[in-house]
Amino acid sequence: MSDQSANSQAIEGAPHSGVPDNLPAAESDLYQPPQSAIANANVANYLDLRHEALADIEAYWDARAREVIDWFEPYEKVLDASGAPFFKWFVGGKTNIAYNALDRHVKMWRKNKLALIWEAEDGERRTYSYYQLWQEVNKFANVLKSMGVQKGDTVTIYMGRIPELAIAMLAVTKIGAVHSVVYGGFSEQALASRIEDAQSKLLITCDGAWLRGKTVNLKDIADEAVKRSPIVHTVIVCQRTMQEVQMTQARDYWWHELMALPIASPVCPSEPMDAEDPLFILYTSGTTGRPKGVLHTCGGYQVYTATTLKYVFDLKEDDCWWCAADPGWITGHSYIVYAPLILGATGFMYEGAPDYPYPNRYWKLVEEYSITILYTAPTAIRGLMRFGDAWAERHDLSSLRLLGSVGEPINPEAWRWYHRVIGQERCPIMDTWWQTETGGCMITPTPVIPLKPGSATLPFTGIDAAVVREDGSTCEPNEDGYLVIKRPWPGMARTVWGDPDRYVEQYWSEFAKQGWYFTGDSARRDADGYFWIIGRMDDVIKVSGYRLGTAEIESALVSHPDVAESACIGIPDELRGNVIHAFCMLNAGVTGSPDLADTLKLHVRHEVGPIAVPAELSFVDSLPKTRSGKIMRRLLKAQVQGLPIGDVSTLAE
Ligand code: WTA
């Protein structure tokens, strides 16, 4: 492909919604893709491909499904929209994600290629070839089977960022069970309610996890969670920190002991799964109530994540790919564990914090492992930027060819720093907008299009995204509106685990008439058709890129005996994107004090986890509510930020 085909080429034919006819031409704040990024890019001509995909999405995804994965049995139909919004993809097809991630590579020359390189926080290194990873996964899959795990069962995983986490996930999916990974930063109650909702009888955890040279007692937290949700009858404990833990007879088993048993044979067939069988549940925060289990299924998720990684991040055989997310969140599921392995890539995983022991840790890792593509979050970038350029300048970052950002809007200042200091003005930045529910990147650059700092640019090929008003009409350029997806895509969530009504209500009711998926985000498009994501329109707060629901933090506060009622809001923060401000109404006879505020923060830390701890906590006599009793967080937010409070006609008093 040539330079011109990527740029400013008018495309013939009728424009589809969401498709600009041209890519923007030179203007002041536009970063044109370098020749090196365009040459041999997996996506040759973005605009052509995009028009082609939207002209016939079934033909487009059919081609991708054949290209990126193997099927045990072919599908009869690409898309079945008859039960919309419960769409079905690749109907009748049989496949297995662990087979595509491992077995098929082991059957060819990739057998001895490195699948995973891991570095511990203390510098310990481990590597796994495809063959070695395959054997570990098979062994653990056989262990799980011997523990009675069957196809369709749910298994909860609560571990640190170690290779065994990926091994556990792949072993679960290999035998057709369904994993629910709970981020290792969550605490007792968060873990307990997720176990309960998923009805997992088996829990996989670690003795502890390393974080900034200290240990987090995962097993203690797991024990407490199991006490609260006694449905768990087996706990497998992986040794990581070697700390003292309590093992309960006939319930708790050491990972390494089980893996040494004859039952842990290194060969295990991959269960043929229907394309629409459940693959995994991932709990995420929504508008109200308890976290919901977003369900992804076996066929479409694989096709979508592998396709996006191949085209957005241009993954090639000789890349060393580093997605620096946590496997406990969707970014890690899709782009640390599954998609890189499906594509037969070498992936790198790091256990610890970006600035531990020094702020050069990431850059040192890039140099030492010759990382070619780095995908991280704005919070990490801002956090490292704060320490100045010198930490990065000490390292040879010339292996890098592409950079990525995910999880929250990246401010142009951080974008430019990332581009100049880390990418050395050579590496395009893929600012990818997507969600747990979308499975993979949705609004995102590809390496061949011009970039604007702070804009996630354009929808991925085959994705029909738009910014609309409440009545569904399309917003004018630069007008804020609702971000919607107008047509289905293979990586879409299929339902909320055990609660299909909630799925419909949460995502498909805002624009029910039109049949569009509502993302929960607001956005605007500029005159070039580029998307600028503004943020959540609901009660979700993104703290350091982590997705939290106000409801979970509020119910943790209310579970304290001194608190009668509580409301939490997100307040913009330079470093973390947002921080939490909690308002608490105390029970009669209790007086607020700085000590009580600290106690309550500690309580949230215990119940939900350190990321959910409010930065500010105020005591109030009452909370603003609508006449129907709904807390008006918007008012609290306006008050804290000193903004106009707007329409208060629904306020009760
Ligand atoms: C936000 C993370 C701006 C957005 C993959 C979305 C972003 C929520 C971006 C989903 C981005 C994610 N620019 N905002 N590049 N990426 N978001 O489910 O508000 O943890 O709705 O998935 O993160 O968060 P989740």
Side-chain angles (χ1 to χ4, degrees):
M1 78 152 285
S2 72
D3 189 4
Q4 289 115 30
S5 57
N7 294 311
S8 309
Q9 289 276 298
I11 300 292
E12 309 240 306
H16 296 272
S17 66
V19 190
D21 283 341
N22 296 292
L23 291 168
E27 59 176 69
S28 59
D29 208 12
L30 198 67
Y31 290 70
Q32 291 293 340
Q35 266 310 319
S36 59
I38 295 175
N40 307 313
N42 285 343
V43 58
N45 186 321
Y46 167 80
L47 286 184
D48 278 351
L49 198 63
R50 210 179 131 62
H51 278 271
E52 187 192 308
L54 285 186
D56 188 344
I57 55 169
E58 289 194 52
Y60 176 74
W61 290 116
D62 182 26
R64 300 290 81 74
R66 292 164 196 274
E67 172 187 321
V68 295
I69 67 168
D70 290 351
W71 296 84
F72 300 149
E73 280 176 42
Y75 39 86
E76 293 130 25
K77 201 169 171 9
V78 176
L79 172 64
D80 175 1
S82 61
F86 298 95
F87 294 94
K88 291 184 178 151
W89 284 91
F90 311 115
V91 182
K94 297 270 188 286
T95 182
N96 182 294
I97 198 164
Y99 176 89
N100 283 312
L102 298 168
D103 295 66
R104 63 173 181 160
H105 303 308
V106 168
K107 289 186 197 161
M108 42 122 63
W109 69 266
R110 285 201 195 98
K111 182 172 181 176
N112 295 317
K113 178 176 175 174
L114 285 186
L116 182 65
I117 305 173
W118 176 76
E119 185 165 307
E121 204 184 62
D122 69 2
E124 179 201 337
R125 285 160 199 209
R126 265 198 252 162
T127 57
Y128 295 82
S129 67
Y130 271 90
Y131 182 59
Q132 289 167 323
L133 193 61
W134 175 76
Q135 284 199 318
E136 291 300 303
V137 167
N138 286 340
K139 286 173 69 176
F140 196 63
N142 284 319
V143 165
L144 291 174
K145 277 197 204 170
S146 76
M147 293 289 197
V149 178
Q150 289 178 354
K151 183 173 179 171
D153 286 351
T154 61
V155 173
T156 297
I157 302 177
Y158 178 67
M159 300 170 89
R161 214 177 294 166
I162 56 174
E164 285 85 350
L165 171 52
I167 291 166
M169 289 166 72
L170 287 156
V172 168
T173 53
K174 183 150 220 203
I175 62 173
V178 179
H179 59 67
S180 162
V181 180
V182 178
Y183 169 59
F186 277 128
S187 290
E188 275 107 85
Q189 190 48 39
L191 176 58
S193 58
R194 285 159 177 78
I195 292 174
E196 194 71 33
D197 190 85
Q199 291 285 295
S200 292
K201 296 193 205 97
L202 193 134
L203 171 68
I204 307 168
T205 188
C206 296
D207 49 357
W210 285 107
L211 189 67
R212 295 179 191 281
K214 296 202 189 89
T215 59
V216 182
N217 305 337
L218 293 187
K219 177 64 165 65
D220 289 353
I221 298 171
D223 284 343
E224 184 55 38
V226 171
K227 227 185 267 167
R228 296 184 194 194
S229 32
I231 177 167
V232 173
H233 63 53
T234 306
V235 181
I236 300 179
V237 188
C238 182
Q239 214 163 32
R240 171 68 195 121
T241 51
M242 311 295 279
Q243 68 200 96
E244 188 88 33
V245 296
Q246 194 79 39
M247 296 292 276
T248 302
Q249 262 273 310
R251 188 197 73 183
D252 299 352
Y253 302 88
W254 286 109
W255 172 297
H256 61 274
E257 288 179 8
L258 295 171
M259 291 289 266
L261 297 175
I263 188 77
S265 138
V267 178
C268 176
S270 306
E271 187 68 30
M273 302 300 286
D274 191 275
E276 285 300 334
D277 276 339
L279 175 66
F280 67 78
I281 311 167
L282 189 54
Y283 284 87
T284 188
S285 310
T287 305
T288 49
R290 59 202 161 78
K292 47 186 190 298
V294 170
L295 181 77
H296 284 286
T297 54
C298 293
Y301 174 81
Q302 288 193 59
V303 172
Y304 195 70
T305 53
T307 301
T308 47
L309 185 59
K310 177 169 174 179
Y311 290 101
V312 173
F313 285 103
D314 198 43
L315 212 65
K316 303 274 169 49
E317 197 69 70
D318 56 359
D319 273 312
C320 189
W321 160 255
W322 180 15
C323 169
D326 192 283
W329 299 85
I330 190 68
T331 310
H333 277 54
S334 297
Y335 298 115
I336 297 179
V337 181
Y338 290 119
L341 294 174
I342 291 170
L343 295 178
T346 297
F348 174 72
M349 180 169 160
Y350 164 60
E351 181 182 39
D355 55 353
Y356 187 85
Y358 300 108
N360 68 331
R361 187 64 187 263
Y362 267 22
W363 321 128
K364 189 164 176 271
L365 291 170
V366 167
E367 175 174 352
E368 281 174 7
Y369 295 97
S370 295
I371 303 294
T372 55
I373 313 170
L374 169 65
Y375 188 27
T376 186
T379 291
I381 299 163
R382 289 191 294 261
L384 294 170
M385 179 171 93
R386 178 171 67 124
F387 296 111
D389 303 0
W391 292 100
E393 281 164 359
R394 278 167 49 185
H395 295 279
D396 176 6
L397 305 180
S398 61
S399 59
L400 288 171
R401 67 180 184 94
L402 267 185
L403 298 171
S405 172
V406 61
E408 51 182 324
I410 178 163
N411 46 312
E413 195 197 349
W415 195 102
R416 287 198 195 91
W417 184 82
Y418 197 30
H419 188 262
R420 179 175 57 81
V421 179
I422 307 309
Q424 299 170 339
E425 288 171 359
R426 177 187 70 240
C427 308
I429 297 175
M430 305 296 106
D431 173 5
T432 63
W433 173 90
W434 58 292
Q435 310 178 298
T436 306
E437 295 86 345
T438 70
C441 306
M442 295 288 283
I443 297 178
T444 170
T446 46
V448 298
I449 71 158
L451 304 172
K452 301 183 185 189
S455 168
T457 73
L458 297 165
F460 186 63
T461 48
I463 299 304
D464 195 358
V467 178
V468 300
R469 304 191 184 104
E470 211 171 330
D471 63 4
S473 57
T474 306
C475 289
E476 292 297 320
N478 298 317
E479 179 186 339
D480 294 4
Y482 298 75
L483 179 61
V484 297
I485 313 294
K486 293 185 171 179
R487 280 190 266 180
W489 66 100
M492 65 199 308
R494 297 302 196 269
T495 190
V496 170
W497 184 253
D499 200 349
D501 292 346
R502 199 166 168 204
Y503 174 70
V504 176
E505 193 204 320
Q506 184 95 39
Y507 306 107
W508 303 93
S509 62
E510 196 80 39
F511 297 98
K513 209 169 65 204
Q514 297 88 346
W516 297 338
Y517 169 85
F518 175 46
T519 61
D521 279 333
S522 60
R524 72 176 83 90
R525 301 183 75 175
D526 64 19
D528 291 320
Y530 274 40
F531 285 74
W532 298 77
I533 311 295
I534 300 166
R536 301 290 308 190
M537 298 176 88
D538 53 14
D539 298 329
V540 168
I541 309 177
K542 282 255 152 175
V543 179
S544 299
Y546 295 122
R547 179 165 163 182
L548 297 168
T550 51
E552 216 174 353
I553 309 163
E554 289 161 6
S555 67
L557 285 165
V558 174
S559 76
H560 189 277
D562 289 345
V563 181
E565 237 182 312
S566 141
C568 293
I569 56 170
I571 299 294
D573 178 82
E574 242 179 55
L575 191 61
R576 286 174 285 181
N578 295 284
V579 292
I580 298 159
H581 189 141
F583 296 84
C584 294
M585 240 171 84
L586 298 174
N587 281 321
V590 185
T591 350
S593 67
D595 275 355
L596 182 58
D598 288 345
T599 307
L600 293 177
K601 285 182 189 176
L602 199 66
H603 183 67
V604 173
R605 186 183 189 90
H606 248 277
E607 292 292 302
V608 190
I611 46 165
V613 174
E616 296 280 343
L617 195 146
S618 330
F619 299 108
V620 291
D621 296 330
S622 66
L623 290 167
K625 285 189 189 163
T626 61
R627 277 178 217 109
S628 58
K630 221 178 145 235
I631 294 173
M632 296 179 84
R633 296 188 186 77
R634 177 175 64 81
L635 288 191
L636 292 170
K637 208 166 165 161
Q639 198 184 18
V640 169
Q641 295 182 265
L643 300 171
I645 55 172
D647 180 13
V648 288
S649 55
T650 55
L651 189 67
E653 41 179 288

